[in-house]
Amino acid sequence: MNPFACLLHTIRMQRGIRQTELSDLIGYEQTYISALEIGKKGPPTPEFVEKLITALDLKGEEREHLLKAVEASNRKLVIDSDMPQDVFWMLQELRDRVSDLTLAEIQLIRQVLKLKESYGNSYVEPGYRLHRRKKMEAQM
């Protein structure tokens, strides 16, 4: 289940609100809320999120947590066209295996992704991208 689905259900349960009550508060169908909670729908629209934040009076950390959960629940990934081809191959391998990854493998991948944070500013990224000349630089 996606992070938003889990968090929406948790927040609703903590407040003791039924799906029908929430649908009345924010003006969306109960079936849509149900589909969001079980992960059948992708992340909600910004309009839905704002109405939810307002109706449930989410503030501070709780609001930020909800916004991050919405972002983390996005199912699509767009890659810049000028990324190194190793990025494309890595993502292809991940797509092929993502449904078979164990929890330990997922945690390991997430730890590897956090390694850069531990280097701080001392790590210099090698230059993988091709340098494209600007029109003014290209003499023909």
Side-chain angles (χ1 to χ4, degrees):
M1 198 173 344
N2 69 58
F4 177 77
C6 293
L7 186 58
L8 176 60
H9 179 77
T10 300
I11 290 172
R12 195 175 56 75
M13 290 292 105
Q14 287 172 344
R15 286 178 167 63
I17 300 173
R18 294 179 180 268
Q19 287 180 351
T20 53
E21 294 168 333
L22 183 58
S23 71
D24 291 341
L25 282 172
I26 61 176
Y28 281 81
E29 295 289 327
Q30 178 272 329
T31 55
Y32 180 67
I33 293 170
S34 175
L36 284 172
E37 279 193 15
I38 61 174
K40 292 268 184 188
K41 294 281 183 186
T45 64
E47 177 188 18
F48 178 92
V49 174
E50 285 306 314
K51 286 184 176 187
L52 183 64
I53 289 170
T54 302
L56 298 179
D57 195 30
L58 302 178
K59 303 232 187 284
E61 193 175 308
E62 197 172 33
R63 181 182 182 278
E64 290 305 312
H65 190 61
L66 180 78
L67 294 173
K68 285 180 182 180
V70 169
E71 188 176 338
S73 298
N74 191 349
R75 297 177 187 171
K76 296 179 182 177
L77 174 67
V78 177
I79 308 163
D80 289 339
S81 60
D82 65 343
M83 292 298 287
Q85 65 175 299
D86 281 345
V87 171
F88 288 87
W89 289 117
M90 176 196 67
L91 291 172
Q92 178 60 44
E93 291 173 34
L94 188 57
R95 274 191 299 269
D96 291 344
R97 298 195 48 215
V98 71
S99 60
D100 297 325
L101 292 174
T102 66
L103 182 56
E105 290 169 327
I106 293 167
Q107 290 172 343
L108 183 60
I109 292 168
R110 291 187 71 201
Q111 287 175 354
V112 168
L113 294 173
K114 291 178 184 177
L115 280 177
K116 190 173 182 180
E117 295 170 13
S118 66
Y119 289 124
N121 292 333
S122 63
Y123 179 75
V124 177
E125 187 76 29
Y128 291 120
R129 293 184 181 194
L130 293 174
H131 173 70
R132 293 199 169 93
R133 295 184 295 184
K134 296 177 185 170
K135 283 186 179 182
M136 295 174 70
E137 293 176 344
Q139 301 281 329
M140 289 197 200

